[in-house]
Amino acid sequence: EPEVTQTPSHQVTQMGQEVILRCVPISNHLYFYWYRQILGQKVEFLVSFYNNEISEKSEIFDDQFSVERPDGSNFTLKIRSTKLEDSAMYFCASSTTGYNEQFFGPGTRLTVL
Amino acid sequence: QKEVEQDPGPLSVPEGAIVSLNCTYSNSAFQYFMWYRQYSRKGPELLMYTYSSGNKEDGRFTAQVDKSSKYISLFIRDSQPSDSATYLCAMQKTSYDKVIFGPGTSLSVIP
């Protein structure tokens, strides 16, 4: 069964460093999303991406965040200068047209020290 | 009022019991309703996806949506220890929209 994959599974970084989280969505999907979940809290929307541009972003998704689809298979989230409060699980999701369930990847756990 | 609310639990039931999980929401614009299951430090796994009011059944799982009351439910029949997880209700205004999640209900099924 096709699935969303994410790498790395765990990323540890120093405050102020740049990180890139990578996702490979399901191959025929056209809509891509990033969400995050701070430990013990609910899953929160960050950004949606369709047709090579951002469709919607939340207030969390400030100038420190960017997304890119560099080729036909990868979808990345970049955090330019990480803060302690960026520590969270980051989930990528994708969906196709029609009956539009979003399927989530296993997540990348980001720890900012 | 929070946009989506769930009783956080924890809910503990014996194996074989019928489990009822519930969620309320405040925004009448929501039209698509989902239940996800999340194991500890894993990604949400889609269990049920429904549009508007009504019931949907899939195996041991039944989802109910009552838009007039802004209330959705998930029933699990013949619960198993492997059902032990956090259950997230979620909803969207349109089928391409961001998903808004509830805080989740933690379920333990005791053998």
Side-chain angles (χ1 to χ4, degrees), chain A residues 4-35:
Chain A
V4 177
T5 59
Q6 290 185 245
T7 54
S9 58
H10 188 196
Q11 173 93 46
V12 181
T13 190
Q14 295 291 325
M15 190 169 58
Q17 295 297 303
E18 175 183 287
V19 294
I20 297 175
L21 310 183
R22 291 183 167 80
C23 169
V24 179
I26 295 172
S27 63
N28 64 339
H29 284 190
L30 301 176
Y31 298 83
F32 313 110
Y33 309 83
W34 284 101
Y35 294 80

Side-chain angles (χ1 to χ4, degrees), chain A residues 35 37 56 99-100 102 109, chain B residues 36 38 41 95 98-99:
Chain A
Y35 294 80
Q37 186 176 33
E56 184 178 358
Y99 206 48
N100 217 40
Q102 290 183 22
R109 182 155 64 104
Chain B
Y36 285 85
Q38 186 177 31
R41 294 185 179 264
S95 61
K98 60 183 178 285
V99 175

Side-chain angles (χ1 to χ4, degrees), chain A residues 31 33 35 37 39 41-45 56 89 91 96-107 109, chain B residues 4 32 36 38 41-46 49-51 56 88 92 95-103:
Chain A
Y31 298 83
Y33 309 83
Y35 294 80
Q37 186 176 33
L39 188 63
Q41 298 186 23
K42 66 178 184 176
V43 178
E44 299 175 289
F45 168 77
E56 184 178 358
M89 286 287 286
F91 297 109
T96 184
T97 55
Y99 206 48
N100 217 40
E101 308 102 308
Q102 290 183 22
F103 294 92
F104 282 72
R109 182 155 64 104
Chain B
V4 182
Y32 295 84
Y36 285 85
Q38 186 177 31
R41 294 185 179 264
K42 300 293 184 185
E45 174 194 4
L46 183 66
Y49 186 86
T50 55
Y51 170 70
K56 182 175 181 180
L88 313 175
Q92 294 169 295
S95 61
Y96 304 114
D97 198 11
K98 60 183 178 285
V99 175
I100 305 297
F101 285 88

Side-chain angles (χ1 to χ4, degrees), chain B residues 50-63:
Chain B
T50 55
Y51 170 70
S52 196
S53 288
N55 295 355
K56 182 175 181 180
E57 188 173 320
D58 185 0
R60 296 184 296 112
F61 299 91
T62 300

Side-chain angles (χ1 to χ4, degrees), chain B residues 6 10-11 22-23 37 46-47 49 52-53 61-62 65 72 77-79 84 87 90 95 98 107-108:
Chain B
Q6 281 183 267
L11 181 62
N22 307 299
C23 199
R37 177 173 62 195
L46 183 66
L47 290 175
Y49 186 86
S52 196
S53 288
F61 299 91
T62 300
V65 175
I72 71 171
R77 289 183 298 282
D78 186 26
S79 55
S84 298
Y87 288 79
S95 61
K98 60 183 178 285
L107 171 68
S108 292

